[in-house]
Amino acid sequence: LEKDRKPAMYIILRPNVDRTGPDFAVISTSSDWSDFLAVKAIFPTLWQPCDALVNTSRCQKLKLKNWRGSQAIKCVLAESTLKIENGKLESDELVLLSNFSSAEVEMFRKAAMVRGRGCLKLPTLCGQKARQVLRIFTSVCSTPIMRFASKIGLKYDLAPSSLWLKLREKDSTPFGQCSRTVPKKPAEAWYHNDERGRWERTSEPDAAKKYFDELVIAPQPFEFTLDCESMSLSVRCCPEVAGHRAANALISGRGLELPNESLDVSFKLLDKTLQQGHH
């Protein structure tokens, strides 16, 4: 909003795409519209996003909502019995959580709808199973991990001021060109249907199913492995996977030839609650 203002302020418009309610804007020091410290501006119901393109347009009856200070607040947290260990620097393991109760292990198993014992890979990509797993992980594991990070520290610094770490390929595949990490989308071709008198798309049989199956088995930036015997959960962080996906989004679908050399990719792991003023 102001070039010389520190910290910088962002204004973010969030339209109600389904038009079931009013649009609103967020004014914040964070580039995240869900920032709980933001000022929320609710537009009138008849306001439309295209009105912002008209220089002479003035919005009437704008409602501002902001947080108000509280005289007293008390935070109560349940005591956790989880034990947390840092992963080794040379491995992808971020943390190892142990000492789960049998009920907590069973909650993970039921959410993931997996059978058997031993080591089970929990879904974290998408769908109902992944949402249930992440909901349980957030309620059971997030607070103990953040406590551990504040007292002892993780292998990656979560502070917004932390340095960017340069990634290196684990093999000779340049970033953005790993077909295992980022499966290639099914090829489509256009042909003219003389009977219907129009152009239609066609693709190889079962190409969509094959693409979906490759997405399911593709490595993820974060992977959860539950050991039902030792009552532990291993959380792996694979920044190279995120690097491949980010690089692929830059070079694919633009009609350009793939670069002969890999892109320079850097990363840092951040705590979302500490991202005000950073993006």
Side-chain angles (χ1 to χ4, degrees), residues 182-206:
V182 187
K184 188 176 181 181
K185 295 181 180 180
E188 293 183 337
W190 289 87
Y191 74 101
H192 189 266
N193 190 321
D194 296 333
E195 184 178 349
R196 297 183 178 181
R198 64 185 184 186
W199 289 90
E200 296 183 352
R201 289 184 298 179
T202 181
S203 60
E204 297 180 6
D206 298 328

mmCIF file of all heavy atoms in Angstrom, residues 182-206:
data_model
loop_
_atom_site.group_PDB
_atom_site.id
_atom_site.type_symbol
_atom_site.label_atom_id
_atom_site.label_comp_id
_atom_site.label_asym_id
_atom_site.label_seq_id
_atom_site.Cartn_x
_atom_site.Cartn_y
_atom_site.Cartn_z
ATOM 1 N N VAL A 182 7.127 -35.437 -11.220
ATOM 2 C CA VAL A 182 6.055 -34.701 -11.890
ATOM 3 C C VAL A 182 5.652 -35.498 -13.129
ATOM 4 O O VAL A 182 6.214 -35.316 -14.218
ATOM 5 C CB VAL A 182 6.508 -33.288 -12.294
ATOM 6 C CG1 VAL A 182 5.333 -32.483 -12.835
ATOM 7 C CG2 VAL A 182 7.154 -32.569 -11.122
ATOM 8 N N PRO A 183 4.695 -36.429 -12.985
ATOM 9 C CA PRO A 183 4.284 -37.248 -14.139
ATOM 10 C C PRO A 183 3.798 -36.393 -15.301
ATOM 11 O O PRO A 183 3.204 -35.332 -15.111
ATOM 12 C CB PRO A 183 3.144 -38.107 -13.565
ATOM 13 C CG PRO A 183 3.375 -38.116 -12.086
ATOM 14 C CD PRO A 183 3.962 -36.789 -11.763
ATOM 15 N N LYS A 184 4.084 -36.872 -16.494
ATOM 16 C CA LYS A 184 3.680 -36.152 -17.694
ATOM 17 C C LYS A 184 2.186 -36.328 -17.938
ATOM 18 O O LYS A 184 1.653 -37.431 -17.862
ATOM 19 C CB LYS A 184 4.467 -36.671 -18.911
ATOM 20 C CG LYS A 184 4.263 -35.862 -20.170
ATOM 21 C CD LYS A 184 5.145 -36.380 -21.307
ATOM 22 C CE LYS A 184 4.963 -35.549 -22.566
ATOM 23 N NZ LYS A 184 5.804 -36.056 -23.669
ATOM 24 N N LYS A 185 1.524 -35.223 -18.223
ATOM 25 C CA LYS A 185 0.089 -35.269 -18.467
ATOM 26 C C LYS A 185 -0.211 -36.001 -19.774
ATOM 27 O O LYS A 185 0.609 -35.994 -20.690
ATOM 28 C CB LYS A 185 -0.482 -33.853 -18.525
ATOM 29 C CG LYS A 185 -0.379 -33.096 -17.212
ATOM 30 C CD LYS A 185 -0.988 -31.707 -17.325
ATOM 31 C CE LYS A 185 -0.888 -30.960 -16.004
ATOM 32 N NZ LYS A 185 -1.474 -29.597 -16.110
ATOM 33 N N PRO A 186 -1.371 -36.647 -19.868
ATOM 34 C CA PRO A 186 -1.715 -37.380 -21.092
ATOM 35 C C PRO A 186 -1.738 -36.455 -22.309
ATOM 36 O O PRO A 186 -2.221 -35.320 -22.229
ATOM 37 C CB PRO A 186 -3.114 -37.934 -20.791
ATOM 38 C CG PRO A 186 -3.248 -37.905 -19.308
ATOM 39 C CD PRO A 186 -2.411 -36.773 -18.832
ATOM 40 N N ALA A 187 -1.186 -36.955 -23.400
ATOM 41 C CA ALA A 187 -1.184 -36.169 -24.641
ATOM 42 C C ALA A 187 -2.576 -36.199 -25.263
ATOM 43 O O ALA A 187 -3.270 -37.218 -25.240
ATOM 44 C CB ALA A 187 -0.161 -36.735 -25.613
ATOM 45 N N GLU A 188 -2.986 -35.062 -25.782
ATOM 46 C CA GLU A 188 -4.290 -34.965 -26.434
ATOM 47 C C GLU A 188 -4.113 -34.506 -27.881
ATOM 48 O O GLU A 188 -3.168 -33.776 -28.193
ATOM 49 C CB GLU A 188 -5.195 -33.973 -25.688
ATOM 50 C CG GLU A 188 -5.583 -34.441 -24.295
ATOM 51 C CD GLU A 188 -6.525 -33.464 -23.616
ATOM 52 O OE1 GLU A 188 -6.514 -32.277 -24.021
ATOM 53 O OE2 GLU A 188 -7.251 -33.863 -22.698
ATOM 54 N N ALA A 189 -5.016 -34.960 -28.708
ATOM 55 C CA ALA A 189 -4.990 -34.569 -30.119
ATOM 56 C C ALA A 189 -6.397 -34.140 -30.531
ATOM 57 O O ALA A 189 -7.399 -34.612 -29.970
ATOM 58 C CB ALA A 189 -4.508 -35.729 -30.991
ATOM 59 N N TRP A 190 -6.446 -33.229 -31.479
ATOM 60 C CA TRP A 190 -7.733 -32.761 -31.991
ATOM 61 C C TRP A 190 -8.003 -33.368 -33.368
ATOM 62 O O TRP A 190 -7.101 -33.514 -34.165
ATOM 63 C CB TRP A 190 -7.729 -31.235 -32.101
ATOM 64 C CG TRP A 190 -7.755 -30.535 -30.760
ATOM 65 C CD1 TRP A 190 -6.685 -30.202 -29.990
ATOM 66 C CD2 TRP A 190 -8.914 -30.112 -30.061
ATOM 67 N NE1 TRP A 190 -7.100 -29.586 -28.844
ATOM 68 C CE2 TRP A 190 -8.473 -29.508 -28.856
ATOM 69 C CE3 TRP A 190 -10.287 -30.164 -30.321
ATOM 70 C CZ2 TRP A 190 -9.357 -28.972 -27.924
ATOM 71 C CZ3 TRP A 190 -11.165 -29.625 -29.388
ATOM 72 C CH2 TRP A 190 -10.699 -29.038 -28.197
ATOM 73 N N TYR A 191 -9.236 -33.757 -33.567
ATOM 74 C CA TYR A 191 -9.617 -34.269 -34.881
ATOM 75 C C TYR A 191 -11.016 -33.730 -35.222
ATOM 76 O O TYR A 191 -11.788 -33.379 -34.322
ATOM 77 C CB TYR A 191 -9.617 -35.797 -34.913
ATOM 78 C CG TYR A 191 -10.786 -36.436 -34.193
ATOM 79 C CD1 TYR A 191 -11.891 -36.918 -34.912
ATOM 80 C CD2 TYR A 191 -10.791 -36.563 -32.804
ATOM 81 C CE1 TYR A 191 -12.964 -37.492 -34.267
ATOM 82 C CE2 TYR A 191 -11.844 -37.148 -32.149
ATOM 83 C CZ TYR A 191 -12.942 -37.615 -32.877
ATOM 84 O OH TYR A 191 -14.005 -38.180 -32.232
ATOM 85 N N HIS A 192 -11.293 -33.668 -36.500
ATOM 86 C CA HIS A 192 -12.578 -33.131 -36.936
ATOM 87 C C HIS A 192 -13.569 -34.277 -37.105
ATOM 88 O O HIS A 192 -13.351 -35.206 -37.892
ATOM 89 C CB HIS A 192 -12.441 -32.368 -38.255
ATOM 90 C CG HIS A 192 -13.684 -31.633 -38.635
ATOM 91 N ND1 HIS A 192 -14.656 -32.164 -39.469
ATOM 92 C CD2 HIS A 192 -14.126 -30.393 -38.267
ATOM 93 C CE1 HIS A 192 -15.622 -31.305 -39.615
ATOM 94 N NE2 HIS A 192 -15.342 -30.214 -38.907
ATOM 95 N N ASN A 193 -14.662 -34.236 -36.358
ATOM 96 C CA ASN A 193 -15.724 -35.232 -36.463
ATOM 97 C C ASN A 193 -16.666 -34.795 -37.588
ATOM 98 O O ASN A 193 -17.486 -33.876 -37.409
ATOM 99 C CB ASN A 193 -16.474 -35.334 -35.131
ATOM 100 C CG ASN A 193 -17.430 -36.521 -35.098
ATOM 101 O OD1 ASN A 193 -18.085 -36.831 -36.096
ATOM 102 N ND2 ASN A 193 -17.517 -37.171 -33.948
ATOM 103 N N ASP A 194 -16.515 -35.449 -38.742
ATOM 104 C CA ASP A 194 -17.314 -35.061 -39.904
ATOM 105 C C ASP A 194 -18.801 -35.291 -39.679
ATOM 106 O O ASP A 194 -19.641 -34.538 -40.192
ATOM 107 C CB ASP A 194 -16.859 -35.841 -41.140
ATOM 108 C CG ASP A 194 -15.422 -35.503 -41.521
ATOM 109 O OD1 ASP A 194 -14.975 -34.369 -41.208
ATOM 110 O OD2 ASP A 194 -14.747 -36.367 -42.106
ATOM 111 N N GLU A 195 -19.129 -36.343 -38.896
ATOM 112 C CA GLU A 195 -20.538 -36.655 -38.672
ATOM 113 C C GLU A 195 -21.220 -35.562 -37.850
ATOM 114 O O GLU A 195 -22.359 -35.175 -38.133
ATOM 115 C CB GLU A 195 -20.654 -38.007 -37.965
ATOM 116 C CG GLU A 195 -22.097 -38.458 -37.766
ATOM 117 C CD GLU A 195 -22.184 -39.816 -37.104
ATOM 118 O OE1 GLU A 195 -21.133 -40.492 -36.988
ATOM 119 O OE2 GLU A 195 -23.293 -40.209 -36.716
ATOM 120 N N ARG A 196 -20.519 -35.071 -36.815
ATOM 121 C CA ARG A 196 -21.086 -34.027 -35.955
ATOM 122 C C ARG A 196 -20.729 -32.628 -36.447
ATOM 123 O O ARG A 196 -21.295 -31.645 -35.973
ATOM 124 C CB ARG A 196 -20.606 -34.199 -34.521
ATOM 125 C CG ARG A 196 -21.081 -35.514 -33.899
ATOM 126 C CD ARG A 196 -20.634 -35.604 -32.460
ATOM 127 N NE ARG A 196 -21.110 -36.835 -31.828
ATOM 128 C CZ ARG A 196 -20.879 -37.166 -30.552
ATOM 129 N NH1 ARG A 196 -20.158 -36.347 -29.790
ATOM 130 N NH2 ARG A 196 -21.355 -38.290 -30.066
ATOM 131 N N GLY A 197 -19.750 -32.564 -37.347
ATOM 132 C CA GLY A 197 -19.363 -31.274 -37.892
ATOM 133 C C GLY A 197 -18.656 -30.373 -36.895
ATOM 134 O O GLY A 197 -18.874 -29.152 -36.900
ATOM 135 N N ARG A 198 -17.802 -30.955 -36.048
ATOM 136 C CA ARG A 198 -17.088 -30.129 -35.061
ATOM 137 C C ARG A 198 -15.771 -30.803 -34.680
ATOM 138 O O ARG A 198 -15.551 -31.983 -34.959
ATOM 139 C CB ARG A 198 -17.925 -29.926 -33.808
ATOM 140 C CG ARG A 198 -18.210 -31.216 -33.033
ATOM 141 C CD ARG A 198 -19.138 -30.960 -31.866
ATOM 142 N NE ARG A 198 -19.325 -32.179 -31.073
ATOM 143 C CZ ARG A 198 -20.181 -32.275 -30.059
ATOM 144 N NH1 ARG A 198 -20.947 -31.228 -29.747
ATOM 145 N NH2 ARG A 198 -20.283 -33.411 -29.386
ATOM 146 N N TRP A 199 -14.902 -30.016 -34.062
ATOM 147 C CA TRP A 199 -13.613 -30.536 -33.605
ATOM 148 C C TRP A 199 -13.760 -31.143 -32.208
ATOM 149 O O TRP A 199 -14.427 -30.573 -31.353
ATOM 150 C CB TRP A 199 -12.569 -29.411 -33.570
ATOM 151 C CG TRP A 199 -12.145 -28.956 -34.936
ATOM 152 C CD1 TRP A 199 -12.710 -27.972 -35.684
ATOM 153 C CD2 TRP A 199 -11.082 -29.492 -35.700
ATOM 154 N NE1 TRP A 199 -12.078 -27.841 -36.899
ATOM 155 C CE2 TRP A 199 -11.050 -28.775 -36.934
ATOM 156 C CE3 TRP A 199 -10.137 -30.504 -35.505
ATOM 157 C CZ2 TRP A 199 -10.130 -29.030 -37.931
ATOM 158 C CZ3 TRP A 199 -9.208 -30.757 -36.504
ATOM 159 C CH2 TRP A 199 -9.213 -30.027 -37.708
ATOM 160 N N GLU A 200 -13.126 -32.285 -32.011
ATOM 161 C CA GLU A 200 -13.197 -32.968 -30.720
ATOM 162 C C GLU A 200 -11.805 -33.430 -30.299
ATOM 163 O O GLU A 200 -10.914 -33.616 -31.135
ATOM 164 C CB GLU A 200 -14.152 -34.166 -30.793
ATOM 165 C CG GLU A 200 -15.594 -33.776 -31.069
ATOM 166 C CD GLU A 200 -16.516 -34.996 -31.069
ATOM 167 O OE1 GLU A 200 -15.993 -36.134 -31.003
ATOM 168 O OE2 GLU A 200 -17.747 -34.803 -31.139
ATOM 169 N N ARG A 201 -11.648 -33.618 -29.000
ATOM 170 C CA ARG A 201 -10.371 -34.063 -28.462
ATOM 171 C C ARG A 201 -10.346 -35.575 -28.305
ATOM 172 O O ARG A 201 -11.368 -36.206 -28.058
ATOM 173 C CB ARG A 201 -10.108 -33.431 -27.089
ATOM 174 C CG ARG A 201 -9.799 -31.948 -27.148
ATOM 175 C CD ARG A 201 -9.462 -31.413 -25.769
ATOM 176 N NE ARG A 201 -10.565 -31.554 -24.844
ATOM 177 C CZ ARG A 201 -10.512 -31.185 -23.568
ATOM 178 N NH1 ARG A 201 -9.403 -30.660 -23.084
ATOM 179 N NH2 ARG A 201 -11.554 -31.321 -22.785
ATOM 180 N N THR A 202 -9.162 -36.139 -28.419
ATOM 181 C CA THR A 202 -8.995 -37.568 -28.207
ATOM 182 C C THR A 202 -7.641 -37.821 -27.545
ATOM 183 O O THR A 202 -6.709 -37.012 -27.664
ATOM 184 C CB THR A 202 -9.063 -38.338 -29.545
ATOM 185 O OG1 THR A 202 -8.921 -39.751 -29.290
ATOM 186 C CG2 THR A 202 -7.937 -37.910 -30.481
ATOM 187 N N SER A 203 -7.546 -38.904 -26.819
ATOM 188 C CA SER A 203 -6.295 -39.277 -26.155
ATOM 189 C C SER A 203 -6.178 -40.790 -26.144
ATOM 190 O O SER A 203 -7.128 -41.511 -26.510
ATOM 191 C CB SER A 203 -6.254 -38.736 -24.725
ATOM 192 O OG SER A 203 -7.325 -39.260 -23.957
ATOM 193 N N GLU A 204 -5.039 -41.275 -25.711
ATOM 194 C CA GLU A 204 -4.830 -42.715 -25.681
ATOM 195 C C GLU A 204 -5.768 -43.367 -24.676
ATOM 196 O O GLU A 204 -6.085 -42.765 -23.647
ATOM 197 C CB GLU A 204 -3.382 -43.026 -25.305
ATOM 198 C CG GLU A 204 -2.357 -42.506 -26.298
ATOM 199 C CD GLU A 204 -0.955 -42.844 -25.854
ATOM 200 O OE1 GLU A 204 -0.821 -43.565 -24.855
ATOM 201 O OE2 GLU A 204 -0.006 -42.375 -26.503
ATOM 202 N N PRO A 205 -6.215 -44.600 -24.961
ATOM 203 C CA PRO A 205 -7.085 -45.303 -24.010
ATOM 204 C C PRO A 205 -6.393 -45.473 -22.658
ATOM 205 O O PRO A 205 -5.206 -45.781 -22.574
ATOM 206 C CB PRO A 205 -7.328 -46.661 -24.691
ATOM 207 C CG PRO A 205 -7.067 -46.411 -26.142
ATOM 208 C CD PRO A 205 -6.001 -45.369 -26.197
ATOM 209 N N ASP A 206 -7.139 -45.258 -21.591
ATOM 210 C CA ASP A 206 -6.662 -45.411 -20.210
ATOM 211 C C ASP A 206 -5.528 -44.455 -19.868
ATOM 212 O O ASP A 206 -4.830 -44.647 -18.853
ATOM 213 C CB ASP A 206 -6.204 -46.851 -19.944
ATOM 214 C CG ASP A 206 -7.327 -47.853 -20.098
ATOM 215 O OD1 ASP A 206 -8.482 -47.484 -19.816
ATOM 216 O OD2 ASP A 206 -7.050 -48.994 -20.495
#
